């Protein structure tokens, strides 16, 4: 299960948060935990350099893309390797929508499309689509090219 | 389509400005009225939906009314044919997750989209419908969903399959009917469809072992296109291997070849998954393990941090069971100590600590010292714990490890970290006698500059118990008295008690301690003054406080003979009452449950967490209870109390476990009983014991339990006389009592009761009950200094055994002795093993045992048993236990 996908800006303000199967009273805890994790480790990190951590039985893979920090949390089947696949799809989709590693402004400009991409990639805690070209078509309701 | 609210350009001023700056829920909800316009503006509608999404994604919650209102407006947008807007509508409906009574509004629109000619409408409509649907609606659309699963468009098929996975949780019986279609989808040429179909099919069949096994067999022979599906298949394969391992004959492991072939797959995730599956096989042989370790070793030097982490995490696990297999990777692992990612570095360190041998300890410690300064506390705690177990494994290395601990104790760190270090030092002091003096000295240094009151008081308490027994107790006084001068009242009071303990035990220090305690009489804190007064009166002794030297020591070192929880309850009752407090009125009966928990096997002994009496605390509590019962007070000193043995199945009407207390000439059974029926009150509870298979034992006393109300555990005791020595026997048990009905509304019991009885399981007194588990730090030294005077060596055939490890643990259990130097762990697949045990036999006789096991023929285990002790009779007794066991 992919428990959470979270985007924040470099100051730790939340841009997008999507939880799956996490009780609402625990979300705040997760949010602050992830933001702190990023603040401790992501300073000076290169774009798309992956960081990984585990907390109890849960895995976290996170990275930075432009001004935006991206965190993916998973457990069971979604271990660090599966999550790195998920975060790879997310970063490539975001880059595809924004045309480059986004500034915070650019990210917010493209907010609607990014939400659609996330909807295609992670659906209720499961990885659905992995190919950025296909995702680009899907968010415009175009059939994928390989059909 | 969502367009930016402000045009995108590279103007730096604009970069600062967020399109959502000052966004407010109320205003956005107002804007959402555009959805109701007769002439829809798709672009504007998309923008408003984006804002709604932004609010939702920020964790803003809509009230029920707000959500309903937005939802109804959104449904109007189905009128628009604009594709981008339609996509947004699907998304926002899912996000709003309308309630069951609202869903009906969109059902028809979505059903229409679901049967649309446009594939993309179909896929999305399926996803939305499945998200918001309930059981009844699902039966209506089931037909479409089944078609969708085998749709030639992979997007539609995937949407239906993933919906199936989610629906399986809520409507399993419906989804299970789709099995045939899902089976077909597993053969799909589209990688993702195959992945999703495989996941769903496995979930549908997960309780049918045969079906899963068939699925795995057919797929491992065929081709699986998607690496993700391949990973799933590997997981399912290892599940099949695990479940079939019990009934396969010797020979090749089924599916191992498949796993091994996956190690050569082109996708890293598949390689890793296969390697991990191999390492987790039960009873994996070195030959099977080698290829997996090799690929993991390659991953250790990968440029991708995730791969490095995954590899080191897996190797860390392997190191617990097969340390030797991992040693090849030690060089790569050492280079990871400097890894940027601290999680990787910590895992590398702890793995190295597990696989390292005695000679590499010093080098390793050097590397770790550099590493410790730049990791967070939570990682440091993991390292400290690993070092503690390393030190217990190689007691001869205690010097360098103790030095390391004392060094890090001086550095900055939070409470949990410091506590972990202090706990480790305390455990090392307890287990390695040679380390005692230096350890105490490090703790003294630490309290000179310790900011944590809790740790200071705990260390002072420990110091009071251990310090007076060292060769030069006077050197600790300075550190203790400094606390009286420098610290807060809590620590000062603790220091006063510690001083008194030194005074009581060390005669040569007495005069000086009196001087120091007298100074404490002028302390500004009541508690410190009171303690000083009390201790002075006791030690100087005009006889008014305590009669004899023994009384003084009992008072200072004896543990409180009342369970703290009972004391707390009594004190709480005392506070509002008028009566004076009488400590004798506090009940001494210990609830059985906490004791059972303390004795639970596998629970690590904590350091200071439980004050220094911790290892014996359950024993102490038992001793107190028993000595308070007049019938048993003449039995002498309690030798051993066993762990509780359950005499009933879990969740029966009455739950009973028994603790065996062994004395030189007596045995007492303590039956801990719990009544789990709220409508019953039991009275005059006693266990009737049948000794027909324990003829040497004769019952001499019993202590019934007067009343046993619901869920309030109580104890009843039966005592036996026996000849001296390790006498064995088997006892039948029947619980007898008078049962009274309880009115649940008033909680009152009826006056009349009925006699009844309840059959319990049998109980055995075994040889292990006569041996205390007492370890030695250096077995070889102890063995040699014991000498061969009372040695007896013999060989035994243990017959056919499941494995060598099973044979070793069986012998350890029979003897009930303490395994030393980690020799209880048998490397898997080894053909021979030596296990070292130590203990104290009844009558305080030290015993050392050296067990050499060997496997001959098909699982035939032979054992050579060498026993050394201080008494030939005891050496013989050990042999007798083994030969009769």
């Amino acid at each position: 299960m992919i428990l959470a996908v979270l985007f924040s800006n470099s100051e730790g303000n939340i841009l997008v948060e999507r939880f799956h199967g996490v009780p609402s009273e625990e979300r705040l805890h997760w949010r602050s935990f992830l933001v702190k994790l990023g603040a401790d480790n992501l300073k000076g990190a290169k774009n798309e350099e992956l960081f990984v951590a585990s907390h109890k039985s849960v895995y976290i893979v996170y990275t930075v893309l432009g001004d935006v920090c991206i965190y993916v949390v998973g457990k069971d089947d979604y271990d660090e390797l599966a999550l790195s696949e998920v975060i790879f799809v997310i970063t490539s989709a975001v880059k595809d929508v924004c045309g480059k590693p986004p500034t915070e402004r650019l990210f917010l400009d493209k907010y609607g499309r990014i939400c659609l991409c996330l909807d295609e990639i992670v659906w209720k805690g499961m990885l659905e689509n992995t190919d950025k070209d296909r995702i680009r078509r899907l968010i415009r309701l175009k059939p994928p090219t390989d059909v | 389509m969502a367009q930016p609210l402000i045009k995108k350009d590279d103007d730096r001023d604009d970069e600062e400005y967020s399109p959502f700056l000052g966004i407010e829920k109320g205003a956005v909800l107002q804007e959402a009225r555009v959805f109701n316009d007769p002439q829809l503006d798709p672009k504007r509608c998309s923008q408003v939906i984006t804002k709604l999404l932004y609010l939702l994604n920020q964790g803003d919650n809509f009230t029920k009314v707000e959500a309903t209102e937005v939802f109804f407006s959104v449904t109007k947008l189905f009128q628009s044919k604009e594709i981008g807007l339609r996509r947004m509508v699907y998304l926002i409906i899912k996000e709003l997750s309308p309630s069951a009574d609202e869903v009906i509004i969109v059902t028809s629109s979505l059903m229409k989209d679901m049967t649309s000619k446009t594939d993309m409408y179909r896929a999305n409509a399926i996803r939305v419908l499945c998200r918001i649907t309930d059981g009844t609606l699902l039966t209506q659309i089931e037909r479409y969903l089944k078609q969708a699963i085998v749709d030639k468009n992979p997007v539609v098929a995937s949407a239906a399959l993933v919906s199936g996975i989610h629906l399986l949780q809520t409507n399993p019986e419906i989804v299970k009917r789709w099995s045939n279609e899902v089976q077909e989808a597993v053969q799909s040429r589209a990688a993702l469809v195959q992945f999703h179909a495989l996941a769903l099919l496995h979930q549908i069949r997960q309780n049918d072992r045969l079906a899963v096994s068939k699925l795995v067999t057919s797929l491992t022979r065929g081709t699986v296109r998607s690496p993700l599906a391949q990973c799933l298949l590997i997981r399912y394969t290892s599940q099949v291997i695990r479940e079939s391992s019990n009934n396969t004959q010797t020979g090749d492991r089924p599916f191992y070849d498949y796993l091994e072939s996956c190690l050569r797959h082109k996708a890293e995730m598949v390689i890793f998954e296969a390697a991990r599956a191999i390492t987790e096989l039960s009873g994996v042989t070195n030959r099977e393990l080698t290829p997996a370790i090799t690929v993991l070793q390659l991953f250790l030097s990968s440029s991708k941090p995730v791969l490095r982490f995954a590899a080191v995490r897996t190797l860390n696990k392997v190191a617990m069971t097969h340390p030797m297999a991992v040693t090849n990777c030690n060089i790569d692992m050492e280079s990871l100590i400097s890894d940027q990612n601290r999680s990787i570095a910590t895992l590398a360190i702890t793995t190295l600590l597990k696989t390292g041998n005695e000679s590499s300890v010093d080098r390793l410690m050097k590397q770790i010292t550099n590493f410790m300064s730049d990791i967070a506390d939570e990682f440091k705690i993991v390292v400290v714990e690993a070092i503690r177990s390393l030190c217990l494994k190689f007691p001869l290395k205690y010097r360098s490890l103790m030095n390391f601990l004392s060094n890090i104790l001086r550095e900055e760190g939070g409470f949990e970290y410091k506590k972990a270090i202090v706990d480790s030092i305390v455990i090392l002091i307890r287990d390695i006698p040679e380390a005692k003096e230096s350890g105490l000295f490090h703790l003294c240094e630490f309290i000179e500059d310790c900011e944590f009151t809790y740790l200071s008081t705990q260390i002072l308490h420990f110091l009071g118990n251990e310090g007076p027994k060292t060769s030069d107790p006077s050197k600790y006084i300075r550190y203790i008295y400094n606390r009286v001068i420098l610290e807060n009242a809590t620590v000062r009071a603790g220091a006063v008690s510690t001083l008194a303990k030194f005074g009581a035990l060390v005669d040569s220090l007495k005069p000086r301690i009196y001087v120091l305690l007298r100074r404490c009489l002028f302390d500004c804190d009541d508690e410190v003054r009171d303690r000083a007064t009390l201790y002075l009166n006791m030690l100087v002794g005009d006889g008014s406080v305590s009669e004899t030297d023994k009384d003084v020591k009992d008072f200072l070192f004896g543990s409180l003979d009342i369970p703290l929880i009972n004391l707390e309850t009594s004190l709480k009752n005392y506070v509002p009452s008028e009566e004076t407090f009488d400590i004798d009125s506090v009940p001494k009966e210990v609830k059985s449950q906490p004791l059972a928990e303390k004795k639970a096997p596998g629970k690590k002994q904590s350091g200071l967490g439980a004050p220094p009496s911790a290892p014996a605390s359950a024993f102490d509590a038992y001793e107190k209870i028993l000595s308070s019962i007049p019938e048993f007070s003449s039995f002498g000193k309690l030798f051993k109390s066993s762990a509780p043995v359950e005499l009933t199945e879990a969740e029966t009407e009455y739950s009973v476990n028994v603790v065996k207390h062994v004395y030189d000439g007596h045995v007492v059974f303590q039956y801990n009983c719990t009544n789990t029926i709220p409508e019953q009150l039991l009275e005059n509870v006693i266990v009737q014991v049948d000794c027909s298979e324990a003829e040497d034992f004769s019952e001499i006393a019993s202590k019934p339990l007067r009343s046993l109300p619901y869920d309030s555990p109580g104890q009843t005791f039966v005592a036996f006389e026996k000849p001296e020595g390790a006498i064995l026997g088997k006892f039948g048990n029947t619980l007898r009592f008078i049962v009274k009905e309880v009115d649940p509304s008033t909680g009152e019991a009826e006056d009349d009761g009925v006699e009844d009885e309840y059959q319990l399981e049998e109980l055995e007194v075994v040889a292990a009950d006569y041996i205390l588990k007492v370890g030695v730090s250096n077995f070889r030294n102890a063995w040699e200094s014991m000498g061969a005077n009372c040695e007896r060596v013999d060989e035994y055939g243990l017959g056919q055994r499941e494995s060598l490890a099973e044979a070793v643990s069986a012998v350890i259990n029979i003897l009930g002795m303490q395994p030393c130097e980690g020799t209880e762990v048998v490397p898997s697949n080894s053909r021979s093993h030596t296990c070292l045990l130590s203990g104290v036999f009844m009558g305080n006789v030290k015993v050392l045992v050296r067990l050499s096991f060997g496997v001959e023929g098909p699982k035939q285990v032979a054992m050579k048993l060498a026993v050394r002790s201080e008494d030939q009779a005891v050496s013989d007794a050990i042999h007798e236990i083994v030969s009769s066991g």
Side-chain angles (χ1 to χ4, degrees):
Chain A
M1 181 76 137
I2 302 167
L3 298 173
V5 177
L6 192 134
F7 288 69
S8 75
N9 66 7
S10 46
E11 278 107 58
N13 300 319
I14 307 298
L15 301 173
V16 178
E17 67 173 14
R18 296 169 69 93
F19 286 101
H20 316 276
V22 178
S24 47
E25 63 272 17
E26 283 175 26
R27 294 182 179 185
L28 189 64
H29 162 77
W30 270 108
R31 187 191 300 165
S32 42
F33 174 79
L34 292 176
V35 168
K36 184 176 175 307
L37 194 69
D40 288 346
N41 297 298
L42 287 178
K43 278 234 166 63
K46 289 198 284 286
N47 266 341
E48 292 182 70
E49 182 184 352
L50 287 192
F51 290 76
V52 56
S54 59
H55 180 68
K56 296 174 186 164
S57 58
V58 168
Y59 305 97
I60 303 141
V61 174
Y62 55 110
T63 189
V64 65
L65 185 70
D67 289 352
V68 182
C69 309
I70 307 171
Y71 307 84
V72 186
V73 183
K75 67 169 184 184
D76 301 332
D77 285 357
Y78 287 91
D79 60 8
E80 64 271 29
L81 281 183
L83 291 180
S84 74
E85 193 72 13
V86 175
I87 209 164
F88 173 75
V89 184
I90 293 177
T91 47
S92 26
V94 171
K95 275 193 300 184
D96 197 44
V97 168
C98 299
K100 60 178 182 185
T103 58
E104 186 182 342
R105 166 67 205 283
L106 183 54
F107 183 88
L108 291 173
D109 278 347
K110 304 285 184 186
Y111 198 83
R113 269 207 232 178
I114 291 171
C115 288
L116 291 177
C117 288
L118 282 181
D119 187 45
E120 295 291 351
I121 297 168
V122 180
W123 186 39
K124 276 175 90 181
M126 298 192 67
L127 179 59
E128 193 169 1
N129 282 300
T130 53
D131 179 55
K132 72 177 164 61
D133 297 321
R134 177 195 271 232
I135 293 166
R136 184 171 50 209
R137 296 184 66 81
L138 288 179
I139 63 170
R140 296 185 184 130
L141 283 180
K142 300 245 172 62
T145 44
D146 54 353
V147 178
Chain B
M1 188 80 277
Q3 292 299 315
L5 301 179
I6 308 284
K7 276 207 171 148
K8 175 189 82 175
D9 54 37
D10 288 324
D11 188 341
R12 287 212 142 263
D13 289 342
D14 270 2
E15 290 279 317
E16 302 296 318
Y17 173 69
S18 156
F20 300 114
L21 192 72
I23 186 169
E24 245 185 275
K25 188 168 79 173
V28 179
L29 292 174
Q30 285 284 335
E31 280 187 68
R33 297 198 174 156
V34 296
F35 300 160
N36 298 322
D37 283 354
Q39 289 300 314
L40 282 175
D41 175 357
K43 194 169 148 190
R44 175 124 176 74
C45 290
S46 289
Q47 284 169 357
V48 177
I49 292 180
T50 311
K51 286 186 185 175
L52 288 167
L53 287 170
Y54 181 79
L55 288 172
L56 286 168
N57 281 336
Q58 296 268 310
D60 236 329
N61 282 326
F62 289 2
T63 64
K64 179 85 180 62
V65 178
E66 287 165 352
T68 308
E69 198 171 315
V70 173
F71 173 68
F72 280 126
S73 325
V74 164
T75 55
K76 307 261 168 61
L77 299 180
F78 274 102
Q79 295 165 25
S80 165
K81 294 277 175 230
E82 214 274 333
I83 281 183
L85 179 60
R86 179 64 62 88
R87 183 66 188 83
M88 290 299 257
V89 168
Y90 291 136
L91 178 55
I92 189 76
I93 291 178
K94 284 191 279 184
E95 293 290 322
L96 287 170
S97 43
S99 61
D101 49 339
E102 296 163 0
V103 168
I104 190 88
I105 303 291
V106 277
T107 321
S108 59
S109 306
L110 287 171
M111 296 267 261
K112 200 172 129 210
D113 280 1
M114 203 165 79
T115 49
S116 152
K117 284 206 175 79
T118 316
D119 287 345
M120 291 300 103
Y121 279 13
R122 288 218 304 280
N124 278 289
I126 287 172
R127 302 203 301 173
V128 180
L129 262 176
C130 291
R131 169 81 176 254
I132 61 177
T133 189
D134 60 3
T136 44
L137 183 61
L138 189 59
T139 36
Q140 289 178 43
I141 58 170
E142 190 185 354
R143 185 162 58 92
Y144 302 109
L145 288 175
K146 278 165 110 172
Q147 281 169 13
I149 289 174
V150 287
D151 197 288
K152 66 179 188 314
N153 185 325
V155 181
V156 178
S158 272
L161 286 164
V162 180
S163 300
I165 295 175
H166 291 304
L167 290 169
L168 194 64
Q169 316 297 329
T170 48
N171 297 288
E173 65 296 336
I174 297 181
V175 180
K176 281 181 182 164
R177 294 201 290 253
W178 309 347
S179 198
N180 288 338
E181 286 79 10
V182 181
Q183 176 95 44
E184 198 180 321
V186 171
Q187 306 302 333
S188 164
R189 296 182 62 81
L192 272 179
V193 174
Q194 192 174 40
F195 167 57
H196 292 138
L198 181 56
L200 179 56
L201 192 61
H202 179 258
Q203 281 192 24
I204 291 176
R205 296 184 175 169
Q206 61 186 343
N207 295 325
D208 181 354
R209 275 195 206 176
L210 191 65
V212 174
S213 174
K214 272 187 190 162
L215 176 69
V216 166
T217 313
S218 71
L219 285 177
T220 47
R221 285 194 199 124
T223 47
V224 178
R225 283 176 195 83
S226 129
L228 284 166
Q230 189 95 347
C231 286
L232 282 186
L233 184 58
I234 292 172
R235 284 179 195 183
Y236 303 154
T237 308
S238 32
Q239 186 192 342
V240 171
I241 296 178
R242 221 173 12 252
E243 281 164 1
S244 65
S245 66
N246 296 334
N247 41 32
T248 48
Q249 303 300 314
T250 48
D252 279 349
R253 199 189 289 275
F255 298 115
Y256 175 78
D257 289 342
Y258 166 71
L259 292 181
E260 208 259 347
S261 70
C262 288
L263 292 176
R264 292 185 292 277
H265 197 276
K266 60 181 187 302
E268 280 157 343
M269 73 167 108
V270 176
I271 302 177
F272 174 77
E273 198 63 50
R276 181 159 62 185
I278 291 175
T279 62
E280 285 172 358
L281 292 174
S282 72
V284 62
T285 63
N286 276 332
R287 193 174 58 84
E288 289 170 324
L289 208 50
T290 313
I293 300 283
T294 312
V295 298
L296 289 173
Q297 188 176 3
L298 287 175
F299 283 167
L300 285 180
S301 42
S302 158
S303 59
K304 298 179 185 167
V306 174
L307 276 182
R308 293 201 300 276
F309 178 84
V312 75
R313 188 166 70 87
T314 308
L315 289 170
N316 188 295
K317 273 196 198 147
V318 179
M320 287 186 206
T321 47
H322 299 83
M324 296 313 287
V326 183
T327 42
N328 282 343
C329 311
N330 278 6
I331 295 180
D332 302 88
M333 205 89 81
E334 278 183 33
S335 58
L336 289 183
I337 296 179
S338 51
D339 198 293
Q340 283 295 310
N341 188 318
R342 302 286 84 184
S343 301
I344 296 177
T346 313
L347 278 169
I349 289 265
T350 47
T351 315
L352 283 168
L353 288 174
K354 281 177 204 147
T355 57
N357 50 27
E358 203 152 354
S359 58
S360 65
V361 168
D362 292 313
R363 191 164 47 94
L364 202 54
M365 295 317 292
K366 235 181 225 162
Q367 281 176 303
I368 298 178
T369 313
N370 301 331
F371 159 83
M372 287 298 268
S373 54
D374 51 28
I375 53 170
D377 273 10
E378 68 249 38
F379 294 133
K380 287 180 182 168
I381 293 174
V382 178
V383 174
V384 167
E385 279 162 3
I387 286 178
R388 179 201 306 165
S389 30
L390 183 73
C391 191
L392 292 174
K393 194 163 136 204
F394 303 122
L396 290 176
K397 284 284 163 197
Y398 80 87
R399 262 200 195 85
S400 61
L401 294 167
M402 190 66 108
N403 270 338
F404 175 81
L405 290 175
S406 75
N407 283 337
I408 54 173
L409 194 53
R410 274 187 226 119
E411 280 157 21
E412 288 290 299
F415 173 73
E416 291 298 332
Y417 173 46
K418 294 281 161 136
K419 185 169 176 296
I421 305 172
V422 171
D423 281 350
S424 299
I425 294 183
V426 168
I427 287 174
L428 297 186
I429 291 175
R430 275 199 207 128
D431 287 13
I432 307 173
E434 298 85 350
K436 186 169 171 179
E437 302 243 340
S438 64
L440 286 178
F441 181 69
H442 293 313
L443 292 177
C444 283
E445 292 261 281
F446 173 60
I447 53 172
E448 284 284 38
D449 186 23
C450 170
E451 54 187 309
F452 305 110
T453 300
Y454 175 83
L455 288 180
S456 292
T457 51
Q458 295 287 312
I459 290 174
L460 283 168
H461 181 79
F462 184 67
L463 203 56
N465 289 351
E466 299 296 327
K469 298 178 212 154
T470 55
S471 58
D472 181 14
S474 65
K475 68 178 176 193
Y476 302 109
I477 302 296
R478 177 169 69 91
Y479 297 101
I480 302 168
Y481 190 66
N482 275 348
R483 307 281 70 70
V484 178
I485 305 170
L486 299 168
E487 305 280 356
N488 62 36
T490 315
V491 180
R492 289 205 302 278
V496 168
S497 301
T498 307
L499 281 176
K501 286 181 182 172
F502 275 77
L505 283 185
V506 189
D507 284 335
S508 59
L509 286 177
K510 266 193 179 133
R512 282 185 269 170
I513 298 278
Y514 296 158
V515 175
L516 296 177
L517 283 178
R518 277 197 195 99
R519 287 193 193 166
C520 303
L521 293 174
F522 305 103
D523 195 282
C524 60
D525 182 81
D526 295 354
E527 173 71 20
V528 180
R529 281 199 310 274
D530 287 356
R531 283 197 189 193
T533 314
L534 174 66
Y535 293 139
L536 268 175
N537 280 331
M538 261 173 37
L539 294 169
V540 181
D542 54 1
S544 60
V545 179
S546 55
E547 300 284 318
T548 61
D549 200 33
K550 184 175 173 300
D551 285 347
V552 174
K553 284 180 188 157
D554 279 352
F555 179 75
L556 279 169
F557 294 98
S559 63
L560 194 62
D561 56 351
I562 300 163
L564 281 180
I565 181 118
N566 298 4
L567 182 62
E568 187 189 353
T569 330
S570 302
L571 283 172
K572 276 186 184 154
N573 295 337
Y574 157 72
V575 172
S577 78
E578 297 286 310
E579 289 170 33
T580 46
F581 183 74
D582 178 11
I583 194 142
D584 292 328
S585 68
V586 182
K588 290 183 180 176
E589 288 198 348
V590 188
K591 292 211 169 193
S592 64
Q593 229 36 44
L595 279 181
E597 275 165 26
K598 262 181 205 159
K599 286 243 155 183
K603 198 150 201 190
K604 270 257 174 182
Q605 159 188 335
S606 70
L608 283 175
S613 54
S617 62
F619 182 79
D620 279 353
Y622 287 139
E623 205 173 17
K624 292 280 171 194
I625 299 175
L626 293 167
S627 60
S628 68
I629 300 172
E631 290 92 328
F632 310 151
S633 55
S634 60
F635 292 175
K637 180 141 179 54
L638 177 62
F639 175 72
K640 182 178 182 179
S641 297
S642 73
V645 181
E646 295 297 335
L647 296 184
T648 49
E649 305 264 316
E651 292 170 21
T652 46
E653 302 96 303
Y654 314 115
S655 143
V656 180
N657 65 43
V658 60
V659 179
K660 298 172 269 184
H661 302 293
V662 178
Y663 294 81
D664 273 346
H666 298 88
V667 174
V668 175
F669 294 155
Q670 171 186 335
Y671 296 92
N672 300 311
C673 313
T674 311
N675 167 12
T676 61
I677 308 176
E679 299 81 18
Q680 284 191 0
L681 169 71
L682 307 189
E683 288 187 348
N684 284 345
V685 183
I686 186 78
V687 177
Q688 189 179 14
V689 183
D690 170 17
C691 302
S692 54
E693 289 181 69
E695 287 167 355
D696 293 326
F697 293 79
S698 51
E699 186 174 328
I700 53 163
S702 62
K703 186 173 180 293
L705 177 62
R706 251 186 317 121
S707 118
L708 184 65
Y710 162 66
D711 203 24
S712 163
Q715 294 101 24
T716 159
F717 300 84
V718 183
F720 299 86
E721 199 169 35
K722 66 165 191 62
E724 290 213 357
I727 312 294
L728 313 183
K730 200 186 243 183
F731 302 82
N733 303 292
T734 313
L735 191 69
R736 290 179 162 274
F737 45 83
I738 295 170
V739 57
K740 289 184 172 175
E741 294 290 314
V742 174
D743 183 343
S745 54
T746 62
E748 278 176 26
E750 285 175 8
D751 291 338
D752 299 327
V754 188
E755 270 193 48
D756 200 356
E757 59 177 50
Y758 187 80
Q759 193 63 42
L760 304 175
E761 307 262 328
E762 284 187 340
L763 165 70
E764 272 189 273
V765 170
V766 293
D769 292 327
Y770 297 101
I771 304 176
L772 285 181
K773 284 188 172 186
V774 178
V776 288
S777 62
N778 186 326
F779 189 87
R780 194 169 176 189
N781 281 357
W783 181 261
E784 260 147 36
S785 59
M786 181 84 79
N789 293 341
C790 304
E791 187 180 72
R792 190 176 145 191
V793 185
D794 234 327
E795 290 185 7
Y796 300 87
L798 302 183
Q800 196 154 14
R801 289 288 177 165
E802 202 173 286
S803 70
L804 190 56
E806 187 268 330
V808 172
S809 81
V811 176
I812 295 175
N813 282 341
I814 289 180
L815 290 175
M817 294 172 73
Q818 177 69 42
C820 302
E821 299 175 16
T823 53
E824 72 274 27
V825 181
V826 184
S828 68
N829 308 310
S830 51
R831 310 278 300 166
S832 66
H833 183 71
T834 300
C835 178
L836 310 171
L837 305 174
S838 92
V840 171
F841 197 76
M842 187 101 181
N844 223 8
V845 185
K846 278 191 192 139
V847 200
L848 297 172
V849 166
R850 192 170 239 170
L851 298 163
S852 312
F853 294 85
V855 183
E856 44 191 37
K859 301 200 170 177
Q860 289 286 336
V861 179
M863 173 179 80
K864 180 172 153 192
L865 167 67
V867 185
R868 284 187 180 184
S869 76
E870 294 162 337
D871 183 347
Q872 184 65 46
V874 170
S875 301
D876 293 340
I878 299 281
H879 275 275
E880 206 160 297
I881 293 170
V882 171
S883 58
S884 60

